Amino acid sequence: RQSNQACIMIADATGHGLPSALLTASARSCLSIFQKQSDEAGRIPFTPQAMMSYLNYAIFDAAHGHIMMTFFVCIIDLEKKSLTYANAGHNPPWLLKKDGDTYFPHSLNSGGMRLGETLDMEMPPEVNLALNSNDILFLYTDGLIEGKNPTGEFYGKKSVRKVVLEAAPQGGEAVVKAVLEDYKQFSQGHPLEDDITLVATRLI
C-alpha cells in the first residue's frame, strides 16, 4: 500500500507439489521488486497490465509453458474512489455493491489467458470501476468452489455466493468467517484436494 493507493493480488499456480511451489517462489520474487520500487517512489508506479507483463516473463522463464498461473490484480485509489483491475484466467472476484440494505455482486473478469502460457501473450485488458463507501471486494481460489463432501459433490460457486451475500452487511471479516464455517459443514471433514485461499475487504 502507498499513501492513497492499495494493490491487491491473488494467484494460483496449476498443478501441485514442488514444481508449482518453485514457480510460486519465482512469482513472489518478481512481486517483491514491485513492492520495493513502490516504496521508493511513494506510489504504485505500475499498472495492472504492466505487472502482469513482467510476471508473465518471470513465470514463462521459470516453467517454459509447462506450469501456468492464474492471476488477478487490482489497484484501489482511495482518493479517486476507483478500482482498476486485470484478470488473467483467475476465478473472477466479486465487487459487492451496496444498494439500500442489499449487496449485489459484480464479477471482475477481463477475459485474459493464464500467465506463462507463451512468452509474447497479449495481456488482459484493464477495467476501471467506480467505488462507493462500504463496497466489499471478495477474492478466492478454485480450491474453494471445487472442494467436495464425502459423496463427491462440489461446494460450488452458488453456495459461496449465497453465504457471501448473507454475511456482507457485517463486513469483510464476517464474510470470510461465514464462508469457512459453511464450507466446513458442507465438507464434513473430507480431505482437501487443493488449497483454499479467500480474502474479503470492506472499502471505507
Side-chain angles (χ1 to χ4, degrees):
R1 177 171 178 174
Q2 292 298 325
S3 61
N4 65 333
Q5 294 179 311
C7 183
I8 299 176
M9 309 172 182
I10 190 167
D12 194 10
T14 59
H16 304 281
L18 184 58
S20 296
L22 291 174
L23 183 75
T24 301
S26 297
R28 182 65 185 86
S29 296
C30 183
L31 297 178
S32 69
I33 296 174
F34 297 159
Q35 183 171 351
K36 183 176 186 299
Q37 293 191 340
S38 296
D39 290 341
E40 292 175 350
R43 61 182 180 84
I44 299 173
F46 305 98
T47 65
Q49 264 192 349
M51 283 187 269
M52 284 192 171
S53 180
Y54 286 116
L55 191 58
N56 182 67
Y57 184 91
I59 292 171
F60 187 85
D61 185 61
H64 300 285
H66 297 294
I67 303 175
M68 281 73 73
M69 177 176 282
T70 65
F71 187 72
F72 173 90
V73 56
C74 69
I75 296 177
I76 297 170
D77 192 307
L78 300 175
E79 183 176 330
K80 296 179 180 178
K81 295 184 179 179
S82 67
L83 180 149
T84 304
Y85 76 88
N87 190 342
H90 195 81
N91 294 100
W94 294 326
L95 181 63
L96 308 177
K97 308 287 289 184
K98 191 175 183 181
D99 185 1
D101 295 328
T102 306
Y103 279 88
F104 296 91
H106 295 260
S107 185
L108 305 185
N109 186 17
S110 55
M113 297 169 56
R114 296 174 296 181
L115 300 182
E117 294 201 20
T118 62
L119 187 59
D120 57 352
M121 63 177 280
E122 183 177 354
M123 294 298 104
E126 293 180 356
V127 180
N128 186 269
L129 299 173
L131 295 176
N132 297 316
S133 182
N134 292 317
D135 285 352
I136 293 177
L137 180 64
F138 177 75
L139 311 93
Y140 63 98
T141 57
D142 60 6
L144 177 63
I145 60 175
E146 295 176 2
K148 299 177 182 178
N149 63 15
T151 65
E153 180 186 1
F154 288 109
Y155 185 52
K157 190 177 293 186
K158 288 184 178 179
S159 297
V160 178
R161 177 186 172 119
K162 178 177 181 294
V163 177
V164 166
L165 293 180
E166 288 175 350
Q170 284 74 54
E173 185 176 351
V175 168
V176 171
K177 183 178 179 181
V179 172
L180 289 177
E181 288 181 351
D182 191 70
Y183 178 81
K184 288 177 182 177
Q185 292 181 10
F186 167 83
S187 65
Q188 301 176 45
H190 185 73
L192 290 175
E193 297 179 11
D194 195 1
D195 59 280
I196 292 176
T197 300
L198 60 154
V199 178
T201 182
R202 179 157 56 185
L203 308 172
I204 54 176

